[in-house]
Amino acid sequence: MRGRLIAIGDIHGCAAELAELLAALAPGRDDRIVLLGDLVNRGPDSRGVLELARAHNATALLGNHELRLLKYRRTGDKKYIKETDLDTFEKLRPADWKFLEAMPLTFEEPELDTVFVHGGFLPGTPWRRQPAEVVTRIQVVDKEGLPAKRADAPGAPLWADLWDGPPFVVYGHTPRPEIYKRKWSAGIDTACAMGGSLTALVLPERRVVQVKARKKYYP
Ligand SMILES: [Mn+2]
């Protein structure tokens, strides 16, 4: 593998923090950047994040927030979005929508036996066949063995605690104060929009680079 593979957790409109993180990483022409989804909403500058992503030729994975906006755009049905998404919805321009429409669910680096995804995977079924509703949203596995949100299934095990690789999975979506490392996974959403930090995991060495949020943008 030439260069580094740089994964960055949920940015959620924190464009200033993303710019600072990218400056610290100083990506070269052989480096690749994978943004783990949820680039938009919550923070102050979703469009700025999308512009930075394009300027750095980053691969951006689909998050549940992008999925919500895309579903609303296709259907006009407000059941798909939250009131707070409308601000982003109205600001996005055609180039932004084109970028969102092109977001893949996963990114795979076979040389590292590593897969990148927004939320995670349901253990026990082939990861390549899992739909957007699962891989962008899973946090825990409920009593019926189905993917669920942490808040909806108290005490249910984290999918990452049940995940036996290979592959190694790098994901975001479940915000925590620190990154969550397991033998076969690393969760790197460190809640930037909520006043935490924005985290990059640099492969192959698995080095962590972080910048602190400038403020708490979202409760
Ligand atoms: Mn998410």
mmCIF file with all atom_site columns, all heavy atoms in Angstrom, residues 12-39:
data_model
loop_
_atom_site.group_PDB
_atom_site.id
_atom_site.type_symbol
_atom_site.label_atom_id
_atom_site.label_alt_id
_atom_site.label_comp_id
_atom_site.label_asym_id
_atom_site.label_entity_id
_atom_site.label_seq_id
_atom_site.pdbx_PDB_ins_code
_atom_site.Cartn_x
_atom_site.Cartn_y
_atom_site.Cartn_z
_atom_site.occupancy
_atom_site.B_iso_or_equiv
_atom_site.pdbx_formal_charge
_atom_site.auth_seq_id
_atom_site.auth_comp_id
_atom_site.auth_asym_id
_atom_site.auth_atom_id
_atom_site.pdbx_PDB_model_num
ATOM 1   N N   . HIS A 1 12 ? -20.089 16.256 11.289 1.00 0.00 ? 12 HIS A N   1
ATOM 2   C CA  . HIS A 1 12 ? -21.321 16.978 11.635 1.00 0.00 ? 12 HIS A CA  1
ATOM 3   C C   . HIS A 1 12 ? -21.195 18.501 11.537 1.00 0.00 ? 12 HIS A C   1
ATOM 4   O O   . HIS A 1 12 ? -21.450 19.231 12.508 1.00 0.00 ? 12 HIS A O   1
ATOM 5   C CB  . HIS A 1 12 ? -21.763 16.606 13.057 1.00 0.00 ? 12 HIS A CB  1
ATOM 6   C CG  . HIS A 1 12 ? -22.588 15.348 13.120 1.00 0.00 ? 12 HIS A CG  1
ATOM 7   N ND1 . HIS A 1 12 ? -23.711 15.149 12.359 1.00 0.00 ? 12 HIS A ND1 1
ATOM 8   C CD2 . HIS A 1 12 ? -22.437 14.216 13.860 1.00 0.00 ? 12 HIS A CD2 1
ATOM 9   C CE1 . HIS A 1 12 ? -24.230 13.958 12.630 1.00 0.00 ? 12 HIS A CE1 1
ATOM 10  N NE2 . HIS A 1 12 ? -23.477 13.360 13.527 1.00 0.00 ? 12 HIS A NE2 1
ATOM 11  N N   . GLY A 1 13 ? -20.749 18.971 10.388 1.00 0.00 ? 13 GLY A N   1
ATOM 12  C CA  . GLY A 1 13 ? -20.730 20.412 10.165 1.00 0.00 ? 13 GLY A CA  1
ATOM 13  C C   . GLY A 1 13 ? -19.609 21.174 10.844 1.00 0.00 ? 13 GLY A C   1
ATOM 14  O O   . GLY A 1 13 ? -19.570 22.400 10.782 1.00 0.00 ? 13 GLY A O   1
ATOM 15  N N   . CYS A 1 14 ? -18.682 20.480 11.464 1.00 0.00 ? 14 CYS A N   1
ATOM 16  C CA  . CYS A 1 14 ? -17.570 21.142 12.164 1.00 0.00 ? 14 CYS A CA  1
ATOM 17  C C   . CYS A 1 14 ? -16.417 21.389 11.182 1.00 0.00 ? 14 CYS A C   1
ATOM 18  O O   . CYS A 1 14 ? -15.358 20.744 11.242 1.00 0.00 ? 14 CYS A O   1
ATOM 19  C CB  . CYS A 1 14 ? -17.109 20.300 13.345 1.00 0.00 ? 14 CYS A CB  1
ATOM 20  S SG  . CYS A 1 14 ? -18.367 20.117 14.625 1.00 0.00 ? 14 CYS A SG  1
ATOM 21  N N   . ALA A 1 15 ? -16.634 22.344 10.295 1.00 0.00 ? 15 ALA A N   1
ATOM 22  C CA  . ALA A 1 15 ? -15.683 22.590 9.217  1.00 0.00 ? 15 ALA A CA  1
ATOM 23  C C   . ALA A 1 15 ? -14.349 23.131 9.731  1.00 0.00 ? 15 ALA A C   1
ATOM 24  O O   . ALA A 1 15 ? -13.281 22.770 9.218  1.00 0.00 ? 15 ALA A O   1
ATOM 25  C CB  . ALA A 1 15 ? -16.284 23.556 8.195  1.00 0.00 ? 15 ALA A CB  1
ATOM 26  N N   . ALA A 1 16 ? -14.389 24.000 10.733 1.00 0.00 ? 16 ALA A N   1
ATOM 27  C CA  . ALA A 1 16 ? -13.145 24.588 11.253 1.00 0.00 ? 16 ALA A CA  1
ATOM 28  C C   . ALA A 1 16 ? -12.258 23.499 11.865 1.00 0.00 ? 16 ALA A C   1
ATOM 29  O O   . ALA A 1 16 ? -11.036 23.481 11.670 1.00 0.00 ? 16 ALA A O   1
ATOM 30  C CB  . ALA A 1 16 ? -13.463 25.661 12.292 1.00 0.00 ? 16 ALA A CB  1
ATOM 31  N N   . GLU A 1 17 ? -12.894 22.580 12.597 1.00 0.00 ? 17 GLU A N   1
ATOM 32  C CA  . GLU A 1 17 ? -12.140 21.493 13.223 1.00 0.00 ? 17 GLU A CA  1
ATOM 33  C C   . GLU A 1 17 ? -11.587 20.542 12.156 1.00 0.00 ? 17 GLU A C   1
ATOM 34  O O   . GLU A 1 17 ? -10.468 20.047 12.271 1.00 0.00 ? 17 GLU A O   1
ATOM 35  C CB  . GLU A 1 17 ? -13.027 20.729 14.211 1.00 0.00 ? 17 GLU A CB  1
ATOM 36  C CG  . GLU A 1 17 ? -13.366 21.505 15.483 1.00 0.00 ? 17 GLU A CG  1
ATOM 37  C CD  . GLU A 1 17 ? -14.503 22.512 15.324 1.00 0.00 ? 17 GLU A CD  1
ATOM 38  O OE1 . GLU A 1 17 ? -15.003 22.701 14.197 1.00 0.00 ? 17 GLU A OE1 1
ATOM 39  O OE2 . GLU A 1 17 ? -14.908 23.111 16.346 1.00 0.00 ? 17 GLU A OE2 1
ATOM 40  N N   . LEU A 1 18 ? -12.379 20.302 11.101 1.00 0.00 ? 18 LEU A N   1
ATOM 41  C CA  . LEU A 1 18 ? -11.888 19.440 10.019 1.00 0.00 ? 18 LEU A CA  1
ATOM 42  C C   . LEU A 1 18 ? -10.685 20.082 9.332  1.00 0.00 ? 18 LEU A C   1
ATOM 43  O O   . LEU A 1 18 ? -9.685  19.405 9.055  1.00 0.00 ? 18 LEU A O   1
ATOM 44  C CB  . LEU A 1 18 ? -13.002 19.168 8.994  1.00 0.00 ? 18 LEU A CB  1
ATOM 45  C CG  . LEU A 1 18 ? -12.563 18.333 7.780  1.00 0.00 ? 18 LEU A CG  1
ATOM 46  C CD1 . LEU A 1 18 ? -12.061 16.949 8.190  1.00 0.00 ? 18 LEU A CD1 1
ATOM 47  C CD2 . LEU A 1 18 ? -13.706 18.213 6.764  1.00 0.00 ? 18 LEU A CD2 1
ATOM 48  N N   . ALA A 1 19 ? -10.766 21.383 9.090  1.00 0.00 ? 19 ALA A N   1
ATOM 49  C CA  . ALA A 1 19 ? -9.643  22.082 8.451  1.00 0.00 ? 19 ALA A CA  1
ATOM 50  C C   . ALA A 1 19 ? -8.390  21.989 9.317  1.00 0.00 ? 19 ALA A C   1
ATOM 51  O O   . ALA A 1 19 ? -7.283  21.747 8.813  1.00 0.00 ? 19 ALA A O   1
ATOM 52  C CB  . ALA A 1 19 ? -10.012 23.538 8.193  1.00 0.00 ? 19 ALA A CB  1
ATOM 53  N N   . GLU A 1 20 ? -8.573  22.148 10.635 1.00 0.00 ? 20 GLU A N   1
ATOM 54  C CA  . GLU A 1 20 ? -7.430  22.068 11.548 1.00 0.00 ? 20 GLU A CA  1
ATOM 55  C C   . GLU A 1 20 ? -6.833  20.652 11.569 1.00 0.00 ? 20 GLU A C   1
ATOM 56  O O   . GLU A 1 20 ? -5.608  20.474 11.564 1.00 0.00 ? 20 GLU A O   1
ATOM 57  C CB  . GLU A 1 20 ? -7.892  22.472 12.958 1.00 0.00 ? 20 GLU A CB  1
ATOM 58  C CG  . GLU A 1 20 ? -6.754  22.607 13.957 1.00 0.00 ? 20 GLU A CG  1
ATOM 59  C CD  . GLU A 1 20 ? -7.269  22.897 15.371 1.00 0.00 ? 20 GLU A CD  1
ATOM 60  O OE1 . GLU A 1 20 ? -8.366  23.462 15.532 1.00 0.00 ? 20 GLU A OE1 1
ATOM 61  O OE2 . GLU A 1 20 ? -6.549  22.533 16.322 1.00 0.00 ? 20 GLU A OE2 1
ATOM 62  N N   . LEU A 1 21 ? -7.709  19.656 11.568 1.00 0.00 ? 21 LEU A N   1
ATOM 63  C CA  . LEU A 1 21 ? -7.241  18.266 11.574 1.00 0.00 ? 21 LEU A CA  1
ATOM 64  C C   . LEU A 1 21 ? -6.488  17.940 10.280 1.00 0.00 ? 21 LEU A C   1
ATOM 65  O O   . LEU A 1 21 ? -5.413  17.320 10.309 1.00 0.00 ? 21 LEU A O   1
ATOM 66  C CB  . LEU A 1 21 ? -8.434  17.320 11.759 1.00 0.00 ? 21 LEU A CB  1
ATOM 67  C CG  . LEU A 1 21 ? -8.123  15.829 11.891 1.00 0.00 ? 21 LEU A CG  1
ATOM 68  C CD1 . LEU A 1 21 ? -7.223  15.548 13.094 1.00 0.00 ? 21 LEU A CD1 1
ATOM 69  C CD2 . LEU A 1 21 ? -9.412  15.012 12.012 1.00 0.00 ? 21 LEU A CD2 1
ATOM 70  N N   . LEU A 1 22 ? -7.030  18.389 9.164  1.00 0.00 ? 22 LEU A N   1
ATOM 71  C CA  . LEU A 1 22 ? -6.363  18.129 7.881  1.00 0.00 ? 22 LEU A CA  1
ATOM 72  C C   . LEU A 1 22 ? -5.008  18.828 7.822  1.00 0.00 ? 22 LEU A C   1
ATOM 73  O O   . LEU A 1 22 ? -4.032  18.275 7.302  1.00 0.00 ? 22 LEU A O   1
ATOM 74  C CB  . LEU A 1 22 ? -7.259  18.569 6.719  1.00 0.00 ? 22 LEU A CB  1
ATOM 75  C CG  . LEU A 1 22 ? -8.492  17.689 6.478  1.00 0.00 ? 22 LEU A CG  1
ATOM 76  C CD1 . LEU A 1 22 ? -9.471  18.379 5.526  1.00 0.00 ? 22 LEU A CD1 1
ATOM 77  C CD2 . LEU A 1 22 ? -8.099  16.316 5.943  1.00 0.00 ? 22 LEU A CD2 1
ATOM 78  N N   . ALA A 1 23 ? -4.932  20.020 8.388  1.00 0.00 ? 23 ALA A N   1
ATOM 79  C CA  . ALA A 1 23 ? -3.649  20.735 8.410  1.00 0.00 ? 23 ALA A CA  1
ATOM 80  C C   . ALA A 1 23 ? -2.625  19.975 9.251  1.00 0.00 ? 23 ALA A C   1
ATOM 81  O O   . ALA A 1 23 ? -1.454  19.872 8.890  1.00 0.00 ? 23 ALA A O   1
ATOM 82  C CB  . ALA A 1 23 ? -3.850  22.149 8.948  1.00 0.00 ? 23 ALA A CB  1
ATOM 83  N N   . ALA A 1 24 ? -3.077  19.404 10.374 1.00 0.00 ? 24 ALA A N   1
ATOM 84  C CA  . ALA A 1 24 ? -2.172  18.634 11.235 1.00 0.00 ? 24 ALA A CA  1
ATOM 85  C C   . ALA A 1 24 ? -1.712  17.351 10.548 1.00 0.00 ? 24 ALA A C   1
ATOM 86  O O   . ALA A 1 24 ? -0.571  16.911 10.726 1.00 0.00 ? 24 ALA A O   1
ATOM 87  C CB  . ALA A 1 24 ? -2.875  18.296 12.556 1.00 0.00 ? 24 ALA A CB  1
ATOM 88  N N   . LEU A 1 25 ? -2.589  16.755 9.753  1.00 0.00 ? 25 LEU A N   1
ATOM 89  C CA  . LEU A 1 25 ? -2.253  15.492 9.073  1.00 0.00 ? 25 LEU A CA  1
ATOM 90  C C   . LEU A 1 25 ? -1.404  15.734 7.830  1.00 0.00 ? 25 LEU A C   1
ATOM 91  O O   . LEU A 1 25 ? -0.652  14.846 7.410  1.00 0.00 ? 25 LEU A O   1
ATOM 92  C CB  . LEU A 1 25 ? -3.545  14.772 8.661  1.00 0.00 ? 25 LEU A CB  1
ATOM 93  C CG  . LEU A 1 25 ? -4.391  14.219 9.809  1.00 0.00 ? 25 LEU A CG  1
ATOM 94  C CD1 . LEU A 1 25 ? -5.826  13.982 9.362  1.00 0.00 ? 25 LEU A CD1 1
ATOM 95  C CD2 . LEU A 1 25 ? -3.773  12.921 10.342 1.00 0.00 ? 25 LEU A CD2 1
ATOM 96  N N   . ALA A 1 26 ? -1.531  16.923 7.236  1.00 0.00 ? 26 ALA A N   1
ATOM 97  C CA  . ALA A 1 26 ? -0.798  17.294 6.033  1.00 0.00 ? 26 ALA A CA  1
ATOM 98  C C   . ALA A 1 26 ? -0.742  16.155 5.009  1.00 0.00 ? 26 ALA A C   1
ATOM 99  O O   . ALA A 1 26 ? 0.320   15.638 4.682  1.00 0.00 ? 26 ALA A O   1
ATOM 100 C CB  . ALA A 1 26 ? 0.614   17.756 6.401  1.00 0.00 ? 26 ALA A CB  1
ATOM 101 N N   . PRO A 1 27 ? -1.918  15.742 4.508  1.00 0.00 ? 27 PRO A N   1
ATOM 102 C CA  . PRO A 1 27 ? -1.928  14.608 3.577  1.00 0.00 ? 27 PRO A CA  1
ATOM 103 C C   . PRO A 1 27 ? -1.129  14.894 2.301  1.00 0.00 ? 27 PRO A C   1
ATOM 104 O O   . PRO A 1 27 ? -1.201  15.995 1.757  1.00 0.00 ? 27 PRO A O   1
ATOM 105 C CB  . PRO A 1 27 ? -3.421  14.415 3.267  1.00 0.00 ? 27 PRO A CB  1
ATOM 106 C CG  . PRO A 1 27 ? -4.114  15.621 3.755  1.00 0.00 ? 27 PRO A CG  1
ATOM 107 C CD  . PRO A 1 27 ? -3.256  16.283 4.764  1.00 0.00 ? 27 PRO A CD  1
ATOM 108 N N   . GLY A 1 28 ? -0.358  13.902 1.902  1.00 0.00 ? 28 GLY A N   1
ATOM 109 C CA  . GLY A 1 28 ? 0.411   14.004 0.664  1.00 0.00 ? 28 GLY A CA  1
ATOM 110 C C   . GLY A 1 28 ? -0.327  13.341 -0.482 1.00 0.00 ? 28 GLY A C   1
ATOM 111 O O   . GLY A 1 28 ? -1.428  12.810 -0.301 1.00 0.00 ? 28 GLY A O   1
ATOM 112 N N   . ARG A 1 29 ? 0.282   13.338 -1.665 1.00 0.00 ? 29 ARG A N   1
ATOM 113 C CA  . ARG A 1 29 ? -0.454  12.859 -2.838 1.00 0.00 ? 29 ARG A CA  1
ATOM 114 C C   . ARG A 1 29 ? -0.713  11.359 -2.822 1.00 0.00 ? 29 ARG A C   1
ATOM 115 O O   . ARG A 1 29 ? -1.618  10.891 -3.511 1.00 0.00 ? 29 ARG A O   1
ATOM 116 C CB  . ARG A 1 29 ? 0.220   13.301 -4.136 1.00 0.00 ? 29 ARG A CB  1
ATOM 117 C CG  . ARG A 1 29 ? 1.720   13.197 -4.146 1.00 0.00 ? 29 ARG A CG  1
ATOM 118 C CD  . ARG A 1 29 ? 2.283   13.723 -5.445 1.00 0.00 ? 29 ARG A CD  1
ATOM 119 N NE  . ARG A 1 29 ? 1.702   12.999 -6.588 1.00 0.00 ? 29 ARG A NE  1
ATOM 120 C CZ  . ARG A 1 29 ? 2.097   13.137 -7.837 1.00 0.00 ? 29 ARG A CZ  1
ATOM 121 N NH1 . ARG A 1 29 ? 3.071   13.978 -8.115 1.00 0.00 ? 29 ARG A NH1 1
ATOM 122 N NH2 . ARG A 1 29 ? 1.546   12.451 -8.807 1.00 0.00 ? 29 ARG A NH2 1
ATOM 123 N N   . ASP A 1 30 ? 0.061   10.589 -2.058 1.00 0.00 ? 30 ASP A N   1
ATOM 124 C CA  . ASP A 1 30 ? -0.179  9.151  -1.971 1.00 0.00 ? 30 ASP A CA  1
ATOM 125 C C   . ASP A 1 30 ? -1.137  8.775  -0.840 1.00 0.00 ? 30 ASP A C   1
ATOM 126 O O   . ASP A 1 30 ? -1.512  7.616  -0.692 1.00 0.00 ? 30 ASP A O   1
ATOM 127 C CB  . ASP A 1 30 ? 1.131   8.391  -1.758 1.00 0.00 ? 30 ASP A CB  1
ATOM 128 C CG  . ASP A 1 30 ? 1.951   8.342  -3.039 1.00 0.00 ? 30 ASP A CG  1
ATOM 129 O OD1 . ASP A 1 30 ? 1.367   8.551  -4.127 1.00 0.00 ? 30 ASP A OD1 1
ATOM 130 O OD2 . ASP A 1 30 ? 3.167   8.096  -2.952 1.00 0.00 ? 30 ASP A OD2 1
ATOM 131 N N   . ASP A 1 31 ? -1.503  9.734  -0.007 1.00 0.00 ? 31 ASP A N   1
ATOM 132 C CA  . ASP A 1 31 ? -2.414  9.440  1.105  1.00 0.00 ? 31 ASP A CA  1
ATOM 133 C C   . ASP A 1 31 ? -3.865  9.450  0.620  1.00 0.00 ? 31 ASP A C   1
ATOM 134 O O   . ASP A 1 31 ? -4.221  10.196 -0.278 1.00 0.00 ? 31 ASP A O   1
ATOM 135 C CB  . ASP A 1 31 ? -2.262  10.494 2.208  1.00 0.00 ? 31 ASP A CB  1
ATOM 136 C CG  . ASP A 1 31 ? -0.887  10.454 2.856  1.00 0.00 ? 31 ASP A CG  1
ATOM 137 O OD1 . ASP A 1 31 ? -0.243  9.386  2.808  1.00 0.00 ? 31 ASP A OD1 1
ATOM 138 O OD2 . ASP A 1 31 ? -0.471  11.489 3.403  1.00 0.00 ? 31 ASP A OD2 1
ATOM 139 N N   . ARG A 1 32 ? -4.663  8.617  1.265  1.00 0.00 ? 32 ARG A N   1
ATOM 140 C CA  . ARG A 1 32 ? -6.098  8.596  0.961  1.00 0.00 ? 32 ARG A CA  1
ATOM 141 C C   . ARG A 1 32 ? -6.876  8.946  2.226  1.00 0.00 ? 32 ARG A C   1
ATOM 142 O O   . ARG A 1 32 ? -6.481  8.576  3.323  1.00 0.00 ? 32 ARG A O   1
ATOM 143 C CB  . ARG A 1 32 ? -6.520  7.218  0.463  1.00 0.00 ? 32 ARG A CB  1
ATOM 144 C CG  . ARG A 1 32 ? -5.985  6.897  -0.929 1.00 0.00 ? 32 ARG A CG  1
ATOM 145 C CD  . ARG A 1 32 ? -6.212  5.434  -1.268 1.00 0.00 ? 32 ARG A CD  1
ATOM 146 N NE  . ARG A 1 32 ? -5.439  4.571  -0.396 1.00 0.00 ? 32 ARG A NE  1
ATOM 147 C CZ  . ARG A 1 32 ? -5.657  3.261  -0.258 1.00 0.00 ? 32 ARG A CZ  1
ATOM 148 N NH1 . ARG A 1 32 ? -6.635  2.681  -0.905 1.00 0.00 ? 32 ARG A NH1 1
ATOM 149 N NH2 . ARG A 1 32 ? -4.898  2.544  0.542  1.00 0.00 ? 32 ARG A NH2 1
ATOM 150 N N   . ILE A 1 33 ? -7.989  9.651  2.036  1.00 0.00 ? 33 ILE A N   1
ATOM 151 C CA  . ILE A 1 33 ? -8.814  10.081 3.170  1.00 0.00 ? 33 ILE A CA  1
ATOM 152 C C   . ILE A 1 33 ? -10.197 9.454  3.050  1.00 0.00 ? 33 ILE A C   1
ATOM 153 O O   . ILE A 1 33 ? -10.832 9.532  1.996  1.00 0.00 ? 33 ILE A O   1
ATOM 154 C CB  . ILE A 1 33 ? -8.936  11.619 3.192  1.00 0.00 ? 33 ILE A CB  1
ATOM 155 C CG1 . ILE A 1 33 ? -7.549  12.255 3.339  1.00 0.00 ? 33 ILE A CG1 1
ATOM 156 C CG2 . ILE A 1 33 ? -9.862  12.079 4.311  1.00 0.00 ? 33 ILE A CG2 1
ATOM 157 C CD1 . ILE A 1 33 ? -7.535  13.753 3.124  1.00 0.00 ? 33 ILE A CD1 1
ATOM 158 N N   . VAL A 1 34 ? -10.634 8.812  4.131  1.00 0.00 ? 34 VAL A N   1
ATOM 159 C CA  . VAL A 1 34 ? -11.983 8.237  4.180  1.00 0.00 ? 34 VAL A CA  1
ATOM 160 C C   . VAL A 1 34 ? -12.743 8.902  5.324  1.00 0.00 ? 34 VAL A C   1
ATOM 161 O O   . VAL A 1 34 ? -12.363 8.785  6.492  1.00 0.00 ? 34 VAL A O   1
ATOM 162 C CB  . VAL A 1 34 ? -11.949 6.710  4.408  1.00 0.00 ? 34 VAL A CB  1
ATOM 163 C CG1 . VAL A 1 34 ? -13.367 6.153  4.466  1.00 0.00 ? 34 VAL A CG1 1
ATOM 164 C CG2 . VAL A 1 34 ? -11.154 6.015  3.306  1.00 0.00 ? 34 VAL A CG2 1
ATOM 165 N N   . LEU A 1 35 ? -13.805 9.622  4.982  1.00 0.00 ? 35 LEU A N   1
ATOM 166 C CA  . LEU A 1 35 ? -14.655 10.246 5.993  1.00 0.00 ? 35 LEU A CA  1
ATOM 167 C C   . LEU A 1 35 ? -15.786 9.266  6.304  1.00 0.00 ? 35 LEU A C   1
ATOM 168 O O   . LEU A 1 35 ? -16.434 8.747  5.392  1.00 0.00 ? 35 LEU A O   1
ATOM 169 C CB  . LEU A 1 35 ? -15.207 11.578 5.467  1.00 0.00 ? 35 LEU A CB  1
ATOM 170 C CG  . LEU A 1 35 ? -14.146 12.537 4.898  1.00 0.00 ? 35 LEU A CG  1
ATOM 171 C CD1 . LEU A 1 35 ? -14.812 13.788 4.315  1.00 0.00 ? 35 LEU A CD1 1
ATOM 172 C CD2 . LEU A 1 35 ? -13.126 12.919 5.959  1.00 0.00 ? 35 LEU A CD2 1
ATOM 173 N N   . LEU A 1 36 ? -16.001 9.036  7.602  1.00 0.00 ? 36 LEU A N   1
ATOM 174 C CA  . LEU A 1 36 ? -16.878 7.930  8.004  1.00 0.00 ? 36 LEU A CA  1
ATOM 175 C C   . LEU A 1 36 ? -18.367 8.277  8.070  1.00 0.00 ? 36 LEU A C   1
ATOM 176 O O   . LEU A 1 36 ? -19.125 7.650  8.799  1.00 0.00 ? 36 LEU A O   1
ATOM 177 C CB  . LEU A 1 36 ? -16.424 7.374  9.364  1.00 0.00 ? 36 LEU A CB  1
ATOM 178 C CG  . LEU A 1 36 ? -15.035 6.742  9.387  1.00 0.00 ? 36 LEU A CG  1
ATOM 179 C CD1 . LEU A 1 36 ? -14.674 6.304  10.800 1.00 0.00 ? 36 LEU A CD1 1
ATOM 180 C CD2 . LEU A 1 36 ? -14.947 5.552  8.437  1.00 0.00 ? 36 LEU A CD2 1
ATOM 181 N N   . GLY A 1 37 ? -18.796 9.275  7.311  1.00 0.00 ? 37 GLY A N   1
ATOM 182 C CA  . GLY A 1 37 ? -20.221 9.597  7.251  1.00 0.00 ? 37 GLY A CA  1
ATOM 183 C C   . GLY A 1 37 ? -20.667 10.586 8.310  1.00 0.00 ? 37 GLY A C   1
ATOM 184 O O   . GLY A 1 37 ? -19.922 10.922 9.227  1.00 0.00 ? 37 GLY A O   1
ATOM 185 N N   . ASP A 1 38 ? -21.932 11.086 8.175  1.00 0.00 ? 38 ASP A N   1
ATOM 186 C CA  . ASP A 1 38 ? -22.439 12.172 9.016  1.00 0.00 ? 38 ASP A CA  1
ATOM 187 C C   . ASP A 1 38 ? -21.517 13.393 8.946  1.00 0.00 ? 38 ASP A C   1
ATOM 188 O O   . ASP A 1 38 ? -21.045 13.918 9.965  1.00 0.00 ? 38 ASP A O   1
ATOM 189 C CB  . ASP A 1 38 ? -22.656 11.716 10.472 1.00 0.00 ? 38 ASP A CB  1
ATOM 190 C CG  . ASP A 1 38 ? -23.943 10.906 10.630 1.00 0.00 ? 38 ASP A CG  1
ATOM 191 O OD1 . ASP A 1 38 ? -24.625 10.658 9.621  1.00 0.00 ? 38 ASP A OD1 1
ATOM 192 O OD2 . ASP A 1 38 ? -24.253 10.521 11.778 1.00 0.00 ? 38 ASP A OD2 1
ATOM 193 N N   . LEU A 1 39 ? -21.308 13.843 7.722  1.00 0.00 ? 39 LEU A N   1
ATOM 194 C CA  . LEU A 1 39 ? -20.532 15.066 7.510  1.00 0.00 ? 39 LEU A CA  1
ATOM 195 C C   . LEU A 1 39 ? -21.368 16.290 7.850  1.00 0.00 ? 39 LEU A C   1
ATOM 196 O O   . LEU A 1 39 ? -20.822 17.371 8.089  1.00 0.00 ? 39 LEU A O   1
ATOM 197 C CB  . LEU A 1 39 ? -20.077 15.153 6.042  1.00 0.00 ? 39 LEU A CB  1
ATOM 198 C CG  . LEU A 1 39 ? -18.855 14.325 5.621  1.00 0.00 ? 39 LEU A CG  1
ATOM 199 C CD1 . LEU A 1 39 ? -19.134 12.836 5.676  1.00 0.00 ? 39 LEU A CD1 1
ATOM 200 C CD2 . LEU A 1 39 ? -18.409 14.705 4.225  1.00 0.00 ? 39 LEU A CD2 1
#
